Amino acid sequence: MLTIPSHGVVQIGKPCAYRSQVLPFLAPLTTIRRASGLSKSLKNSKNSKTRDAPTKKTKVRTDFKRDDLKNAMQFSLCDAMRYIRAFEVGRQPTSSKYELHVSLKSLKNGPVVRNRLRLSNPVDTSQRICVICPPGSQIAAAAIRAGASLVGEETVFDAVKEGRIEFKRCICHADSLPKLSKANLGRILGPKGLMPSTKTGTVVKDVATTVRNMVGGSEYRERLGVVRMAVGQLGFTPEQMQQNIKEFMGGLKKDIALLSEKINKEIHEVVLSSTNSPGFTLNGDFKSPTSVSTRELAII
């Protein structure tokens, strides 16, 4: 062992009595080296603990999140119509529509509610309906009398392939379904929701009755746990709106009841809005003590 005593003579083999004087410039390096080694060991121990710790699985919601309505502002039908009309000042009575949004307590991956309903007070009577059936037949004549705007087979197929889709609804007679399938119009009409099918009730034998029900009818479908449908024009009276809302809610409840007993859907919130207004949650009342008279709401 090499030691350096104070008198300057180098002695070999004897321990040094002056540890504080042995290469003092190395002391900080050994301290740093020890501290760095300690910090590395602490990091390794922490990493091993995190690796060994069981990972917590986050719970995924199976239903749609709904707000608590305990402290939410709710309005009667007349009050909601009064506030909505304030947002529609200067609009034509037939240009803006009242829309009803029904929020459901429902599972995300469950079946959806969908149907078509003809209200006592039709909202849109200008729908152009196409009927695919043999031209010049009694079926075509009955469809035209019922309100169809376009009737035929090959002429309709050619118009659709050329991009001239001048209708909002399409019905196919059962006898014309093979020709419709051969025309391969699904890639054109399918994305627009116009392709007739037995599932949607647009492939029928009684074309005239279906057309009559469609004229002035409205279709609704559940999307993300909410069912939306236009229930009135801006010029409708509160009594007309009340009648349409009752019919719509009655039909929706029947559709929910027709689902399997294992599927639970409940109505959580009913909101009334219009084309240019926000939504107002309804409390189920027709009028409140502070509501204006229905005569005032009947005047645009």
mmCIF file of all heavy atoms in Angstrom, residues 149-191:
data_model
loop_
_atom_site.group_PDB
_atom_site.id
_atom_site.type_symbol
_atom_site.label_atom_id
_atom_site.label_comp_id
_atom_site.label_asym_id
_atom_site.label_seq_id
_atom_site.Cartn_x
_atom_site.Cartn_y
_atom_site.Cartn_z
ATOM 1 N N SER A 149 -95.142 10.709 -57.248
ATOM 2 C CA SER A 149 -94.708 11.669 -58.264
ATOM 3 C C SER A 149 -93.927 11.024 -59.396
ATOM 4 O O SER A 149 -93.767 11.620 -60.462
ATOM 5 C CB SER A 149 -93.834 12.748 -57.610
ATOM 6 O OG SER A 149 -92.719 12.153 -56.964
ATOM 7 N N LEU A 150 -93.422 9.803 -59.184
ATOM 8 C CA LEU A 150 -92.647 9.109 -60.207
ATOM 9 C C LEU A 150 -92.974 7.620 -60.159
ATOM 10 O O LEU A 150 -92.929 7.009 -59.086
ATOM 11 C CB LEU A 150 -91.148 9.324 -59.974
ATOM 12 C CG LEU A 150 -90.182 8.725 -60.997
ATOM 13 C CD1 LEU A 150 -90.419 9.325 -62.379
ATOM 14 C CD2 LEU A 150 -88.728 8.959 -60.562
ATOM 15 N N VAL A 151 -93.324 7.048 -61.328
ATOM 16 C CA VAL A 151 -93.743 5.648 -61.406
ATOM 17 C C VAL A 151 -93.046 4.996 -62.595
ATOM 18 O O VAL A 151 -92.929 5.609 -63.665
ATOM 19 C CB VAL A 151 -95.278 5.531 -61.543
ATOM 20 C CG1 VAL A 151 -95.689 4.089 -61.789
ATOM 21 C CG2 VAL A 151 -95.968 6.058 -60.301
ATOM 22 N N GLY A 152 -92.578 3.769 -62.440
ATOM 23 C CA GLY A 152 -91.978 3.048 -63.552
ATOM 24 C C GLY A 152 -90.922 2.073 -63.086
ATOM 25 O O GLY A 152 -90.715 1.872 -61.880
ATOM 26 N N GLU A 153 -90.222 1.499 -64.061
ATOM 27 C CA GLU A 153 -89.148 0.543 -63.765
ATOM 28 C C GLU A 153 -87.856 0.971 -64.468
ATOM 29 O O GLU A 153 -86.976 1.557 -63.823
ATOM 30 C CB GLU A 153 -89.566 -0.874 -64.200
ATOM 31 C CG GLU A 153 -90.623 -1.491 -63.304
ATOM 32 C CD GLU A 153 -91.054 -2.869 -63.767
ATOM 33 O OE1 GLU A 153 -90.844 -3.196 -64.972
ATOM 34 O OE2 GLU A 153 -91.613 -3.621 -62.948
ATOM 35 N N GLU A 154 -87.751 0.689 -65.760
ATOM 36 C CA GLU A 154 -86.513 0.985 -66.483
ATOM 37 C C GLU A 154 -86.227 2.477 -66.537
ATOM 38 O O GLU A 154 -85.065 2.900 -66.464
ATOM 39 C CB GLU A 154 -86.584 0.399 -67.906
ATOM 40 C CG GLU A 154 -86.684 -1.116 -67.945
ATOM 41 C CD GLU A 154 -85.496 -1.807 -67.308
ATOM 42 O OE1 GLU A 154 -84.384 -1.208 -67.316
ATOM 43 O OE2 GLU A 154 -85.649 -2.940 -66.819
ATOM 44 N N THR A 155 -87.282 3.286 -66.690
ATOM 45 C CA THR A 155 -87.065 4.742 -66.723
ATOM 46 C C THR A 155 -86.507 5.248 -65.394
ATOM 47 O O THR A 155 -85.645 6.128 -65.370
ATOM 48 C CB THR A 155 -88.394 5.455 -67.030
ATOM 49 O OG1 THR A 155 -89.393 5.044 -66.084
ATOM 50 C CG2 THR A 155 -88.866 5.136 -68.430
ATOM 51 N N VAL A 156 -86.990 4.671 -64.304
ATOM 52 C CA VAL A 156 -86.477 5.052 -62.980
ATOM 53 C C VAL A 156 -85.037 4.593 -62.815
ATOM 54 O O VAL A 156 -84.179 5.337 -62.323
ATOM 55 C CB VAL A 156 -87.375 4.473 -61.868
ATOM 56 C CG1 VAL A 156 -86.782 4.771 -60.492
ATOM 57 C CG2 VAL A 156 -88.786 5.017 -61.965
ATOM 58 N N PHE A 157 -84.733 3.368 -63.246
ATOM 59 C CA PHE A 157 -83.372 2.837 -63.123
ATOM 60 C C PHE A 157 -82.375 3.689 -63.905
ATOM 61 O O PHE A 157 -81.280 4.009 -63.407
ATOM 62 C CB PHE A 157 -83.322 1.386 -63.625
ATOM 63 C CG PHE A 157 -84.240 0.449 -62.891
ATOM 64 C CD1 PHE A 157 -84.681 -0.730 -63.493
ATOM 65 C CD2 PHE A 157 -84.681 0.746 -61.606
ATOM 66 C CE1 PHE A 157 -85.527 -1.590 -62.820
ATOM 67 C CE2 PHE A 157 -85.526 -0.118 -60.926
ATOM 68 C CZ PHE A 157 -85.959 -1.283 -61.533
ATOM 69 N N ASP A 158 -82.746 4.074 -65.134
ATOM 70 C CA ASP A 158 -81.845 4.884 -65.956
ATOM 71 C C ASP A 158 -81.622 6.262 -65.345
ATOM 72 O O ASP A 158 -80.490 6.793 -65.365
ATOM 73 C CB ASP A 158 -82.419 5.032 -67.362
ATOM 74 C CG ASP A 158 -82.468 3.700 -68.109
ATOM 75 O OD1 ASP A 158 -81.717 2.785 -67.716
ATOM 76 O OD2 ASP A 158 -83.276 3.578 -69.056
ATOM 77 N N ALA A 159 -82.681 6.848 -64.796
ATOM 78 C CA ALA A 159 -82.555 8.172 -64.183
ATOM 79 C C ALA A 159 -81.628 8.131 -62.965
ATOM 80 O O ALA A 159 -80.792 9.030 -62.777
ATOM 81 C CB ALA A 159 -83.933 8.699 -63.781
ATOM 82 N N VAL A 160 -81.745 7.084 -62.163
ATOM 83 C CA VAL A 160 -80.890 6.961 -60.976
ATOM 84 C C VAL A 160 -79.435 6.763 -61.384
ATOM 85 O O VAL A 160 -78.522 7.358 -60.796
ATOM 86 C CB VAL A 160 -81.382 5.804 -60.081
ATOM 87 C CG1 VAL A 160 -80.384 5.522 -58.969
ATOM 88 C CG2 VAL A 160 -82.747 6.125 -59.495
ATOM 89 N N LYS A 161 -79.180 5.944 -62.400
ATOM 90 C CA LYS A 161 -77.804 5.704 -62.848
ATOM 91 C C LYS A 161 -77.176 6.970 -63.418
ATOM 92 O O LYS A 161 -75.948 7.148 -63.348
ATOM 93 C CB LYS A 161 -77.794 4.585 -63.892
ATOM 94 C CG LYS A 161 -78.101 3.210 -63.313
ATOM 95 C CD LYS A 161 -78.150 2.155 -64.403
ATOM 96 C CE LYS A 161 -78.470 0.784 -63.821
ATOM 97 N NZ LYS A 161 -78.565 -0.265 -64.870
ATOM 98 N N GLU A 162 -77.992 7.846 -63.983
ATOM 99 C CA GLU A 162 -77.485 9.116 -64.520
ATOM 100 C C GLU A 162 -77.339 10.183 -63.438
ATOM 101 O O GLU A 162 -76.875 11.289 -63.733
ATOM 102 C CB GLU A 162 -78.418 9.612 -65.617
ATOM 103 C CG GLU A 162 -78.420 8.734 -66.864
ATOM 104 C CD GLU A 162 -79.472 9.167 -67.866
ATOM 105 O OE1 GLU A 162 -80.154 10.190 -67.588
ATOM 106 O OE2 GLU A 162 -79.622 8.504 -68.915
ATOM 107 N N GLY A 163 -77.756 9.858 -62.210
ATOM 108 C CA GLY A 163 -77.610 10.807 -61.103
ATOM 109 C C GLY A 163 -78.801 11.703 -60.894
ATOM 110 O O GLY A 163 -78.747 12.635 -60.086
ATOM 111 N N ARG A 164 -79.896 11.437 -61.583
ATOM 112 C CA ARG A 164 -81.110 12.254 -61.431
ATOM 113 C C ARG A 164 -82.051 11.565 -60.431
ATOM 114 O O ARG A 164 -82.918 10.786 -60.795
ATOM 115 C CB ARG A 164 -81.795 12.446 -62.787
ATOM 116 C CG ARG A 164 -80.993 13.303 -63.752
ATOM 117 C CD ARG A 164 -81.713 13.568 -65.068
ATOM 118 N NE ARG A 164 -81.776 12.379 -65.914
ATOM 119 C CZ ARG A 164 -82.880 11.703 -66.150
ATOM 120 N NH1 ARG A 164 -84.034 12.063 -65.596
ATOM 121 N NH2 ARG A 164 -82.849 10.639 -66.951
ATOM 122 N N ILE A 165 -81.824 11.891 -59.160
ATOM 123 C CA ILE A 165 -82.658 11.324 -58.090
ATOM 124 C C ILE A 165 -83.603 12.425 -57.622
ATOM 125 O O ILE A 165 -83.255 13.252 -56.760
ATOM 126 C CB ILE A 165 -81.791 10.798 -56.930
ATOM 127 C CG1 ILE A 165 -80.783 9.760 -57.459
ATOM 128 C CG2 ILE A 165 -82.653 10.181 -55.839
ATOM 129 C CD1 ILE A 165 -79.808 9.277 -56.419
ATOM 130 N N GLU A 166 -84.788 12.465 -58.215
ATOM 131 C CA GLU A 166 -85.735 13.552 -57.946
ATOM 132 C C GLU A 166 -86.864 13.085 -57.043
ATOM 133 O O GLU A 166 -88.038 13.353 -57.300
ATOM 134 C CB GLU A 166 -86.282 14.078 -59.279
ATOM 135 C CG GLU A 166 -85.190 14.615 -60.206
ATOM 136 C CD GLU A 166 -85.732 14.990 -61.567
ATOM 137 O OE1 GLU A 166 -86.891 14.611 -61.862
ATOM 138 O OE2 GLU A 166 -84.999 15.647 -62.336
ATOM 139 N N PHE A 167 -86.518 12.367 -55.977
ATOM 140 C CA PHE A 167 -87.523 11.909 -55.018
ATOM 141 C C PHE A 167 -86.864 11.743 -53.645
ATOM 142 O O PHE A 167 -85.635 11.603 -53.542
ATOM 143 C CB PHE A 167 -88.150 10.585 -55.467
ATOM 144 C CG PHE A 167 -87.146 9.525 -55.833
ATOM 145 C CD1 PHE A 167 -86.629 8.668 -54.863
ATOM 146 C CD2 PHE A 167 -86.715 9.384 -57.145
ATOM 147 C CE1 PHE A 167 -85.704 7.694 -55.195
ATOM 148 C CE2 PHE A 167 -85.788 8.406 -57.489
ATOM 149 C CZ PHE A 167 -85.280 7.558 -56.506
ATOM 150 N N LYS A 168 -87.700 11.792 -52.624
ATOM 151 C CA LYS A 168 -87.222 11.672 -51.246
ATOM 152 C C LYS A 168 -87.547 10.330 -50.617
ATOM 153 O O LYS A 168 -86.969 9.965 -49.586
ATOM 154 C CB LYS A 168 -87.821 12.796 -50.382
ATOM 155 C CG LYS A 168 -87.359 14.188 -50.767
ATOM 156 C CD LYS A 168 -87.947 15.228 -49.827
ATOM 157 C CE LYS A 168 -87.461 16.623 -50.177
ATOM 158 N NZ LYS A 168 -88.039 17.645 -49.253
ATOM 159 N N ARG A 169 -88.500 9.603 -51.204
ATOM 160 C CA ARG A 169 -88.857 8.268 -50.726
ATOM 161 C C ARG A 169 -89.017 7.344 -51.918
ATOM 162 O O ARG A 169 -89.403 7.792 -53.013
ATOM 163 C CB ARG A 169 -90.169 8.300 -49.925
ATOM 164 C CG ARG A 169 -90.134 9.188 -48.686
ATOM 165 C CD ARG A 169 -89.288 8.597 -47.602
ATOM 166 N NE ARG A 169 -89.780 7.293 -47.177
ATOM 167 C CZ ARG A 169 -89.125 6.502 -46.359
ATOM 168 N NH1 ARG A 169 -87.954 6.859 -45.882
ATOM 169 N NH2 ARG A 169 -89.648 5.331 -46.018
ATOM 170 N N CYS A 170 -88.715 6.070 -51.706
ATOM 171 C CA CYS A 170 -88.804 5.111 -52.798
ATOM 172 C C CYS A 170 -89.479 3.831 -52.308
ATOM 173 O O CYS A 170 -89.093 3.282 -51.264
ATOM 174 C CB CYS A 170 -87.414 4.796 -53.338
ATOM 175 S SG CYS A 170 -87.428 3.760 -54.822
ATOM 176 N N ILE A 171 -90.486 3.393 -53.064
ATOM 177 C CA ILE A 171 -91.232 2.172 -52.749
ATOM 178 C C ILE A 171 -91.133 1.242 -53.947
ATOM 179 O O ILE A 171 -91.146 1.683 -55.097
ATOM 180 C CB ILE A 171 -92.713 2.491 -52.442
ATOM 181 C CG1 ILE A 171 -92.826 3.507 -51.311
ATOM 182 C CG2 ILE A 171 -93.487 1.237 -52.084
ATOM 183 C CD1 ILE A 171 -94.221 4.040 -51.111
ATOM 184 N N CYS A 172 -91.058 -0.034 -53.661
ATOM 185 C CA CYS A 172 -90.986 -1.024 -54.726
ATOM 186 C C CYS A 172 -92.097 -2.049 -54.540
ATOM 187 O O CYS A 172 -92.316 -2.547 -53.431
ATOM 188 C CB CYS A 172 -89.622 -1.719 -54.722
ATOM 189 S SG CYS A 172 -89.436 -2.973 -56.007
ATOM 190 N N HIS A 173 -92.800 -2.338 -55.636
ATOM 191 C CA HIS A 173 -93.799 -3.408 -55.586
ATOM 192 C C HIS A 173 -93.082 -4.764 -55.540
ATOM 193 O O HIS A 173 -91.997 -4.936 -56.098
ATOM 194 C CB HIS A 173 -94.717 -3.327 -56.812
ATOM 195 C CG HIS A 173 -95.922 -4.195 -56.699
ATOM 196 N ND1 HIS A 173 -95.938 -5.488 -57.193
ATOM 197 C CD2 HIS A 173 -97.146 -3.980 -56.140
ATOM 198 C CE1 HIS A 173 -97.119 -6.030 -56.940
ATOM 199 N NE2 HIS A 173 -97.876 -5.131 -56.308
ATOM 200 N N ALA A 174 -93.685 -5.721 -54.855
ATOM 201 C CA ALA A 174 -93.039 -7.028 -54.662
ATOM 202 C C ALA A 174 -92.712 -7.702 -55.987
ATOM 203 O O ALA A 174 -91.688 -8.391 -56.112
ATOM 204 C CB ALA A 174 -93.933 -7.916 -53.799
ATOM 205 N N ASP A 175 -93.545 -7.514 -57.010
ATOM 206 C CA ASP A 175 -93.302 -8.153 -58.307
ATOM 207 C C ASP A 175 -92.129 -7.529 -59.054
ATOM 208 O O ASP A 175 -91.534 -8.174 -59.938
ATOM 209 C CB ASP A 175 -94.560 -8.084 -59.176
ATOM 210 C CG ASP A 175 -95.725 -8.869 -58.565
ATOM 211 O OD1 ASP A 175 -95.450 -9.758 -57.724
ATOM 212 O OD2 ASP A 175 -96.891 -8.577 -58.909
ATOM 213 N N SER A 176 -91.782 -6.288 -58.719
ATOM 214 C CA SER A 176 -90.684 -5.594 -59.403
ATOM 215 C C SER A 176 -89.358 -5.715 -58.658
ATOM 216 O O SER A 176 -88.346 -5.165 -59.118
ATOM 217 C CB SER A 176 -91.023 -4.108 -59.590
ATOM 218 O OG SER A 176 -92.195 -3.948 -60.364
ATOM 219 N N LEU A 177 -89.347 -6.432 -57.554
ATOM 220 C CA LEU A 177 -88.117 -6.553 -56.757
ATOM 221 C C LEU A 177 -86.995 -7.271 -57.514
ATOM 222 O O LEU A 177 -85.832 -6.835 -57.428
ATOM 223 C CB LEU A 177 -88.422 -7.266 -55.441
ATOM 224 C CG LEU A 177 -87.260 -7.366 -54.444
ATOM 225 C CD1 LEU A 177 -86.755 -5.980 -54.071
ATOM 226 C CD2 LEU A 177 -87.685 -8.133 -53.195
ATOM 227 N N PRO A 178 -87.258 -8.356 -58.263
ATOM 228 C CA PRO A 178 -86.160 -8.983 -59.027
ATOM 229 C C PRO A 178 -85.502 -8.031 -60.021
ATOM 230 O O PRO A 178 -84.272 -8.039 -60.178
ATOM 231 C CB PRO A 178 -86.850 -10.150 -59.739
ATOM 232 C CG PRO A 178 -88.042 -10.468 -58.891
ATOM 233 C CD PRO A 178 -88.505 -9.151 -58.365
ATOM 234 N N LYS A 179 -86.283 -7.200 -60.710
ATOM 235 C CA LYS A 179 -85.704 -6.245 -61.657
ATOM 236 C C LYS A 179 -84.873 -5.183 -60.930
ATOM 237 O O LYS A 179 -83.833 -4.754 -61.437
ATOM 238 C CB LYS A 179 -86.816 -5.573 -62.471
ATOM 239 C CG LYS A 179 -87.522 -6.517 -63.434
ATOM 240 C CD LYS A 179 -88.514 -5.764 -64.285
ATOM 241 C CE LYS A 179 -89.205 -6.701 -65.293
ATOM 242 N NZ LYS A 179 -90.178 -5.970 -66.133
ATOM 243 N N LEU A 180 -85.346 -4.778 -59.750
ATOM 244 C CA LEU A 180 -84.579 -3.801 -58.965
ATOM 245 C C LEU A 180 -83.241 -4.389 -58.528
ATOM 246 O O LEU A 180 -82.213 -3.695 -58.542
ATOM 247 C CB LEU A 180 -85.400 -3.367 -57.748
ATOM 248 C CG LEU A 180 -84.713 -2.424 -56.758
ATOM 249 C CD1 LEU A 180 -84.373 -1.095 -57.433
ATOM 250 C CD2 LEU A 180 -85.599 -2.172 -55.540
ATOM 251 N N SER A 181 -83.232 -5.658 -58.170
ATOM 252 C CA SER A 181 -81.988 -6.307 -57.751
ATOM 253 C C SER A 181 -81.010 -6.416 -58.920
ATOM 254 O O SER A 181 -79.796 -6.223 -58.746
ATOM 255 C CB SER A 181 -82.284 -7.689 -57.185
ATOM 256 O OG SER A 181 -83.170 -7.604 -56.081
ATOM 257 N N LYS A 182 -81.508 -6.717 -60.123
ATOM 258 C CA LYS A 182 -80.644 -6.828 -61.290
ATOM 259 C C LYS A 182 -80.065 -5.474 -61.704
ATOM 260 O O LYS A 182 -78.984 -5.405 -62.306
ATOM 261 C CB LYS A 182 -81.418 -7.428 -62.457
ATOM 262 C CG LYS A 182 -81.729 -8.907 -62.285
ATOM 263 C CD LYS A 182 -82.475 -9.453 -63.496
ATOM 264 C CE LYS A 182 -82.803 -10.933 -63.325
ATOM 265 N NZ LYS A 182 -83.556 -11.483 -64.487
ATOM 266 N N ALA A 183 -80.765 -4.387 -61.388
ATOM 267 C CA ALA A 183 -80.297 -3.054 -61.777
ATOM 268 C C ALA A 183 -79.093 -2.585 -60.956
ATOM 269 O O ALA A 183 -78.416 -1.620 -61.349
ATOM 270 C CB ALA A 183 -81.437 -2.045 -61.649
ATOM 271 N N ASN A 184 -78.816 -3.240 -59.812
ATOM 272 C CA ASN A 184 -77.666 -2.897 -58.963
ATOM 273 C C ASN A 184 -77.653 -1.420 -58.572
ATOM 274 O O ASN A 184 -76.670 -0.697 -58.790
ATOM 275 C CB ASN A 184 -76.349 -3.255 -59.672
ATOM 276 C CG ASN A 184 -76.189 -4.740 -59.875
ATOM 277 O OD1 ASN A 184 -76.608 -5.537 -59.031
ATOM 278 N ND2 ASN A 184 -75.589 -5.123 -60.989
ATOM 279 N N LEU A 185 -78.749 -0.968 -57.987
ATOM 280 C CA LEU A 185 -78.849 0.434 -57.555
ATOM 281 C C LEU A 185 -78.527 0.612 -56.074
ATOM 282 O O LEU A 185 -78.610 1.728 -55.560
ATOM 283 C CB LEU A 185 -80.266 0.965 -57.841
ATOM 284 C CG LEU A 185 -80.737 0.934 -59.294
ATOM 285 C CD1 LEU A 185 -82.141 1.508 -59.402
ATOM 286 C CD2 LEU A 185 -79.780 1.712 -60.191
ATOM 287 N N GLY A 186 -78.187 -0.482 -55.401
ATOM 288 C CA GLY A 186 -77.930 -0.388 -53.965
ATOM 289 C C GLY A 186 -76.781 0.526 -53.617
ATOM 290 O O GLY A 186 -76.832 1.258 -52.622
ATOM 291 N N ARG A 187 -75.717 0.538 -54.453
ATOM 292 C CA ARG A 187 -74.557 1.389 -54.158
ATOM 293 C C ARG A 187 -74.873 2.871 -54.343
ATOM 294 O O ARG A 187 -74.143 3.738 -53.834
ATOM 295 C CB ARG A 187 -73.384 0.998 -55.059
ATOM 296 C CG ARG A 187 -73.696 1.084 -56.530
ATOM 297 C CD ARG A 187 -72.555 0.546 -57.385
ATOM 298 N NE ARG A 187 -72.887 0.587 -58.805
ATOM 299 C CZ ARG A 187 -72.762 1.657 -59.568
ATOM 300 N NH1 ARG A 187 -72.330 2.792 -59.033
ATOM 301 N NH2 ARG A 187 -73.069 1.616 -60.847
ATOM 302 N N ILE A 188 -75.957 3.179 -55.072
ATOM 303 C CA ILE A 188 -76.347 4.580 -55.285
ATOM 304 C C ILE A 188 -77.427 5.006 -54.284
ATOM 305 O O ILE A 188 -77.310 6.050 -53.638
ATOM 306 C CB ILE A 188 -76.847 4.792 -56.728
ATOM 307 C CG1 ILE A 188 -75.766 4.376 -57.737
ATOM 308 C CG2 ILE A 188 -77.238 6.251 -56.957
ATOM 309 C CD1 ILE A 188 -76.225 4.411 -59.181
ATOM 310 N N LEU A 189 -78.463 4.189 -54.153
ATOM 311 C CA LEU A 189 -79.581 4.550 -53.277
ATOM 312 C C LEU A 189 -79.325 4.185 -51.821
ATOM 313 O O LEU A 189 -79.898 4.808 -50.928
ATOM 314 C CB LEU A 189 -80.859 3.848 -53.767
ATOM 315 C CG LEU A 189 -81.353 4.221 -55.164
ATOM 316 C CD1 LEU A 189 -82.604 3.419 -55.512
ATOM 317 C CD2 LEU A 189 -81.645 5.714 -55.262
ATOM 318 N N GLY A 190 -78.479 3.172 -51.594
ATOM 319 C CA GLY A 190 -78.234 2.730 -50.219
ATOM 320 C C GLY A 190 -77.682 3.803 -49.303
ATOM 321 O O GLY A 190 -78.241 4.065 -48.234
ATOM 322 N N PRO A 191 -76.581 4.488 -49.665
ATOM 323 C CA PRO A 191 -76.040 5.541 -48.790
ATOM 324 C C PRO A 191 -77.005 6.696 -48.539
ATOM 325 O O PRO A 191 -76.877 7.402 -47.545
ATOM 326 C CB PRO A 191 -74.800 6.021 -49.560
ATOM 327 C CG PRO A 191 -74.417 4.873 -50.427
ATOM 328 C CD PRO A 191 -75.708 4.230 -50.823
#
